[in-house]
Amino acid sequence: DAGITQSPRHKVTETGTPVTLRCHQTENHRYMYWYRQDPGHGLRLIHYSYGVKDTDKGEVSDGYSVSRSKTEDFLLTLESATSSQTSVYFCAITRGQGVYEQYFGPGTRLTVT
Amino acid sequence: AQKVTQAQTEISVVEKEDVTLDCVYETRDTTYYLFWYKQPPSGELVFLIRRNSFDEQNEISGRYSWNFQKSTSSFNFTITASQVVDSAVYFCALQGGSEKLVFGKGTKLTVNP
């Protein structure tokens, strides 16, 4: 158990509404990541953070923003949700700096109608 | 650019059969890390193994074994005497000189009783 929680676990929202997903960790890890998982695409990195207020883009960052105002929380925001953002979203952490395995949260299933 | 290819989209075997999941990767980095993750039907992502590019020794853990061959850029995963509980989607992933993991699209393994 990597001490990662995600909220909400399930959400249905309408096109055009803003949505914020939260990732919370209890072990003071520096690196945190947001991925989306879609059939036929595996997991794709959206954004990641290497410290408080330090974030960078992944391969599918368009339409998403992130914030990290404290070590334990990493927020993913969809400013104006679209149906193409219907997906399962996973948060992950690494336990050490640099190249270490990532441990994942339980996921959030988001449906945009 | 980094890329991971899992050519087998789905595999179906009968319990007790051996099965090998293929993973081929591309990277220009001389130092890199390879990973395997398991995603059972319940949806969580479970870390299985990490291997660095300097260590080509094969690894065995119970019924699981991994074969890393730099000459063919492959990191294959074999399950010996498969069991129904092995049914899952398995992901291979690569991390090179950055903090980002690149995942393959996954192989869905079904073990039938």
Side-chain angles (χ1 to χ4, degrees):
Chain A
D1 183 1
I4 307 168
T5 57
Q6 293 184 231
S7 59
R9 293 292 313 280
H10 302 270
K11 186 170 182 67
V12 179
T13 192
E14 293 185 351
T15 297
T17 60
V19 176
T20 295
L21 308 183
R22 180 187 184 226
C23 177
H24 179 77
Q25 54 131 334
T26 59
E27 299 179 356
N28 209 33
H29 300 297
R30 180 180 170 194
Y31 286 82
M32 299 183 74
Y33 306 80
W34 275 107
Y35 291 88
R36 60 179 289 174
Q37 184 180 20
D38 305 288
H41 290 278
L43 285 99
R44 293 178 293 174
L45 181 66
I46 305 171
H47 283 281
Y48 70 103
S49 171
Y50 45 96
V52 172
K53 298 187 179 177
D54 292 322
T55 64
D56 204 352
K57 295 179 180 179
E59 65 175 299
V60 290
S61 59
D62 288 349
Y64 302 95
S65 63
V66 290
S67 66
R68 191 157 177 212
S69 59
K70 45 186 178 177
T71 300
E72 57 266 36
D73 288 325
F74 191 30
L75 304 181
L76 177 70
T77 298
L78 292 64
E79 301 290 348
S80 178
T82 67
S83 58
S84 65
Q85 294 176 311
T86 292
S87 187
V88 179
Y89 291 86
F90 285 97
C91 175
I93 58 95
T94 50
R95 287 187 163 146
Q97 184 175 341
V99 287
Y100 288 86
E101 54 271 18
Q102 294 183 13
Y103 292 88
F104 287 82
T108 293
R109 183 172 294 278
L110 176 67
T111 302
V112 183
T113 61
Chain B
Q2 308 199 90
K3 185 178 178 182
V4 175
T5 301
Q6 295 181 254
Q8 304 149 309
T9 305
E10 293 192 38
I11 300 174
S12 181
V13 299
V14 177
E15 208 169 18
K16 297 184 184 178
E17 283 187 36
D18 298 348
V19 57
T20 295
L21 310 181
D22 297 332
C23 172
V24 174
Y25 63 92
E26 296 176 29
T27 181
R28 294 180 192 159
D29 293 314
T30 54
T31 301
Y32 53 89
Y33 294 77
L34 295 160
F35 306 82
W36 275 96
Y37 285 83
K38 174 181 180 180
Q39 187 175 41
S42 51
E44 72 271 25
L45 284 152
V46 179
F47 163 73
L48 295 177
I49 189 171
R50 173 188 58 162
R51 174 65 73 223
N52 72 53
S53 53
F54 301 115
D55 182 3
E56 286 193 72
Q57 282 194 340
N58 293 334
E59 179 151 345
I60 299 174
S61 176
R63 297 184 296 105
Y64 294 173
S65 62
W66 290 270
N67 180 252
F68 175 31
Q69 291 195 334
K70 288 178 75 171
S71 60
T72 56
S73 297
S74 64
F75 186 43
N76 296 336
F77 173 28
T78 297
I79 301 174
T80 303
S82 60
Q83 299 177 2
V84 172
V85 294
D86 296 325
S87 296
V89 180
Y90 291 88
F91 292 97
C92 181
L94 166 70
Q95 184 171 9
S98 73
E99 308 301 337
K100 304 175 186 179
L101 268 186
V102 173
F103 284 82
K105 295 182 179 181
T107 297
K108 181 179 181 181
L109 173 66
T110 302
V111 181
N112 298 297

